[in-house]
Amino acid sequence: VADELELADDATIGVEVTNPDGQLVAQPAAVRWRKTASLDATWQSGVSGDAKVTGSAKASVVDLTDPPQPGLKKAVQVEYQFAAGWKYAPVRIGKEGAAIEGKPAVVGMWVFGNASGDVLRCTVRDNTGQTFQHSYGAITWTGWKWITMPLDGTEAGHWGGANDGVTRYPIQWESPMLIDGMRLKTDQPLQVRATGFAVGYPQPMR
């Protein structure tokens, strides 16, 4: 599924769950995936959080010699380091972010993990200026892994704008990826790479 997704600019993926006898158990609604967050854009990062806690982060777009699948040629690479305390690294596209078409429910991406235990999140802003922060969870793996995070405002922190937890479209990226140090100390520089950014739109059952 991921191979088909990443090689197409726009692809609808459906899933059927069957038991060992071949009987249909479940058929979730199909999802239409569309590429987002072009890696030709200007990506940047820095650190936020407690000003008394030291840290650094730098983002750059790099060529891939080890893509997770054919057709993916570039990735955003984030090099970062945090002291113990509240520190995180938002990764942004340019200074103004990038618009997201329609009403997507999920974002997906390939992430080359570092098993650091740092937490991956993403943030979007709605048309009232309200920011929503969605979370995937801790980076517990090394190598490439396909991950997804919701984008529909469910189970998300929110602040600013209307500040009522209701997403008002259209939305735009603040940070397609955010690395949260979870107050843990990073004793040496770490690196995370991500590619194949896509947003998913639920499709009605036919």
Side-chain angles (χ1 to χ4, degrees), residues 95-120:
K95 295 181 179 180
E96 302 300 328
I100 306 173
E101 182 180 346
K103 299 180 179 181
V106 64
V107 60
M109 65 192 79
W110 284 103
V111 176
F112 195 100
N114 55 24
S116 63
D118 298 330
V119 168
L120 285 175

Side-chain angles (χ1 to χ4, degrees), residues 11-26:
T12 299
I13 309 298
V15 177
E16 290 186 352
V17 181
T18 60
N19 63 21
D21 295 326
Q23 296 174 319
L24 183 65
V25 176

Side-chain angles (χ1 to χ4, degrees), residues 6-120:
E6 299 308 327
L7 293 178
D9 289 335
D10 195 316
T12 299
I13 309 298
V15 177
E16 290 186 352
V17 181
T18 60
N19 63 21
D21 295 326
Q23 296 174 319
L24 183 65
V25 176
Q27 188 176 29
V31 176
R32 177 171 60 89
W33 290 92
R34 176 173 292 179
K35 289 184 178 180
T36 187
S38 170
L39 290 174
D40 294 329
T42 301
W43 289 69
Q44 54 187 306
S45 186
V47 290
S48 296
D50 188 341
K52 298 178 181 179
V53 177
T54 60
S56 63
K58 178 181 179 182
S60 58
V61 176
V62 299
D63 293 329
L64 283 176
T65 59
D66 59 342
Q69 63 184 57
L72 299 177
K73 299 179 180 180
K74 295 181 181 293
V76 58
Q77 177 172 286
V78 185
E79 300 176 24
Y80 69 98
Q81 184 170 358
F82 303 138
W86 179 43
K87 214 68 176 177
Y88 60 95
V91 184
R92 300 186 174 93
I93 312 170
K95 295 181 179 180
E96 302 300 328
I100 306 173
E101 182 180 346
K103 299 180 179 181
V106 64
V107 60
M109 65 192 79
W110 284 103
V111 176
F112 195 100
N114 55 24
S116 63
D118 298 330
V119 168
L120 285 175

Side-chain angles (χ1 to χ4, degrees), residues 34 66 93 97 120 127 134 142 149 161 184:
R34 176 173 292 179
D66 59 342
I93 312 170
L120 285 175
N127 68 4
H134 301 276
T142 57
M149 287 181 266
L184 301 174

